[in-house]
Amino acid sequence: MSRYFRYCLLTCFIVVLSACTTAPKKPSQPTPLPQNDILKLKAMSMPKHLPIPVEGVKAKNLTDTWGASRSSGRTHEGIDIMAPRGTKVYSTTEGIIASLKGNNLGGTVIWLIGPSGAYHYYAHLNDHRRGLKEGDYVKRGELIGYVGNTGNARHTAPHLHYGLYLNGKGRGAVNPYPYLR
């Protein structure tokens, strides 16, 4: 047996052996949300007024787009706040980041659980704030992301879709327009 052949055989053996002895990677589990903080938030009252979540946008610049018709017979469950791509998006309330998992309609999104257990939905984001993760507790006015046009808004002007759900994630949608000032 040639020295080169023995070298190749030994190298293959080492590669196979290391593959057999390396523990398989476990799929990453979602971070459990801090239940004590969620209970405290649920005990708080929902604010009657919320700040506009997009930097530099004034109340007079908002348009109530609630209920407008959308594709597949849907109606709009939120308000679209127009702004240039990359404009800062702030949390309208204190709360816990419940999900950062994107979806087809919203693209890059943030679901936040706030007072009274209401879910605040920030969609079509260009990106999340660096380091933001599920389970983080954020304060009202804290930077959470940046305006974009991801998801089904990829052919529209950049904007933030802001939704408010009083009965859980995606349930009990209410018009956020009257809350924003």
Side-chain angles (χ1 to χ4, degrees):
M1 213 184 284
S2 75
R3 184 179 296 187
Y4 177 73
F5 182 74
R6 280 185 283 183
Y7 170 78
C8 290
L9 191 59
L10 182 60
T11 303
C12 287
F13 176 74
I14 291 170
V15 168
V16 169
L17 182 62
S18 66
C20 291
T21 58
T22 303
K25 289 186 177 181
K26 294 180 183 177
S28 63
Q29 297 295 319
T31 304
L33 298 178
Q35 293 304 307
N36 287 340
D37 290 336
I38 291 174
L39 290 174
K40 288 176 189 173
L41 286 165
K42 286 183 175 183
M44 297 168 69
S45 297
M46 171 73 185
K48 292 184 184 343
H49 298 287
L50 300 168
I52 297 170
V54 179
E55 181 177 63
V57 175
K58 306 289 183 217
K60 67 181 180 181
N61 301 119
L62 297 178
T63 302
D64 187 357
T65 55
W66 172 264
S69 63
R70 293 295 189 257
S71 63
S72 303
R74 296 177 301 113
T75 58
H76 197 229
E77 291 186 350
I79 179 174
D80 289 339
I81 304 172
M82 309 307 287
R85 179 183 323 283
T87 302
K88 293 177 180 178
V89 173
Y90 300 100
S91 178
T92 58
T93 183
E94 69 179 288
I96 296 170
I97 302 299
S99 177
L100 298 173
K101 184 178 178 189
N103 60 59
N104 290 334
L105 291 177
T108 301
V109 305
I110 296 172
W111 284 97
L112 182 141
I113 303 171
S116 189
Y119 276 77
H120 301 255
Y121 181 58
Y122 305 82
H124 307 310
L125 298 169
N126 195 53
D127 205 356
H128 304 123
R129 179 195 80 208
R130 184 182 305 166
L132 189 68
K133 60 189 182 306
E134 292 178 8
D136 282 354
Y137 199 99
V138 298
K139 296 177 183 173
R140 175 180 165 147
E142 189 172 329
L143 175 67
I144 57 173
Y146 304 91
V147 169
N149 64 337
T150 58
N152 69 351
R154 67 187 165 278
H155 300 297
T156 69
H159 65 278
L160 172 70
H161 169 95
Y162 177 67
L164 183 57
Y165 297 84
L166 301 183
N167 298 329
K169 185 178 177 184
R171 297 190 324 266
V174 296
N175 187 352
Y177 181 80
Y179 287 88
L180 300 175
R181 58 179 176 128

